[in-house]
Amino acid sequence: MKTFSSNGAGISGPAARRAIHAAAQSPTFAGSIRTQRQARDILGNPSLTVYDNPRSLLMCVYNRDRALCHRQDATNAPRLDRCRPSCANIARTDHHAAGLLAHAKALEEQSASEALPRPLADRLARRAEQLRELARSHEHDRIHHQEPPV
């Protein structure tokens, strides 16, 4: 399997195009909010509802109507501790996919330990394969930035 670029140039997932659109349409944030109106505009802009979830190695391009983390809840923000791999709000960058592969490698190394009970080792090996499959899907489906010809 080839390695992914470290700058996050590729993106995949059901919400990949929405993430690209959000990045292109969102105003440039200079690092400070000077007025209440600026704060309201930023907080009220649905195209800025993109959350990085480094623990799950994905981004949530939040759309309440599509969120699997909110089935009964009435809040207007994602529950990043309840991300589901089949959610339509998920997007992954090359950086996330590289993290998936690194985590899979660590799990495989753990599963090879002689001190680990076989059922636990098998579970770790299955999880490593699931993570590798997510990375393969990212590689296959990703949209990547093309540099314009000079």
Side-chain angles (χ1 to χ4, degrees):
M1 178 175 288
K2 68 181 178 181
T3 59
F4 303 104
S5 74
S6 62
N7 64 1
I11 189 166
S12 68
R17 295 214 183 270
R18 286 191 290 132
I20 293 168
H21 179 74
Q25 299 302 317
S26 64
T28 304
F29 180 62
S32 66
I33 299 171
R34 300 184 190 269
T35 67
Q36 286 185 356
R37 180 184 169 142
Q38 285 177 324
R40 277 193 310 273
D41 288 347
I42 288 172
L43 292 172
N45 186 344
S47 72
L48 296 179
T49 54
V50 179
Y51 301 86
D52 187 41
N53 190 344
R55 188 169 183 191
S56 295
L57 296 166
L58 56 85
M59 284 187 318
C60 176
V61 185
Y62 188 66
N63 177 332
R64 172 90 172 92
D65 296 335
R66 298 177 180 187
L68 293 181
C69 62
H70 287 268
R71 287 295 168 221
Q72 316 257 332
D73 226 332
T75 59
N76 240 356
R79 291 284 311 266
L80 297 179
D81 60 329
R82 297 168 98 186
C83 285
R84 304 285 182 255
S86 58
C87 185
N89 289 337
I90 286 178
R92 281 196 173 87
T93 64
D94 288 348
H95 180 73
H96 293 122
L100 288 169
L101 292 174
H103 191 59
K105 182 179 178 184
L107 291 176
E108 284 176 341
E109 289 171 1
Q110 289 176 9
S111 73
S113 169
E114 295 289 327
L116 209 60
R118 180 59 27 216
L120 182 55
D122 291 345
R123 190 175 317 140
L124 290 175
R126 279 193 308 273
R127 180 63 181 150
E129 183 52 36
Q130 289 170 343
L131 295 176
R132 287 190 185 286
E133 181 56 36
L134 289 172
R136 281 192 291 270
S137 293
H138 169 78
E139 181 180 1
H140 180 265
D141 299 336
R142 73 188 178 127
I143 303 164
H144 53 307
H145 177 68
Q146 298 289 332
E147 291 294 326
V150 189

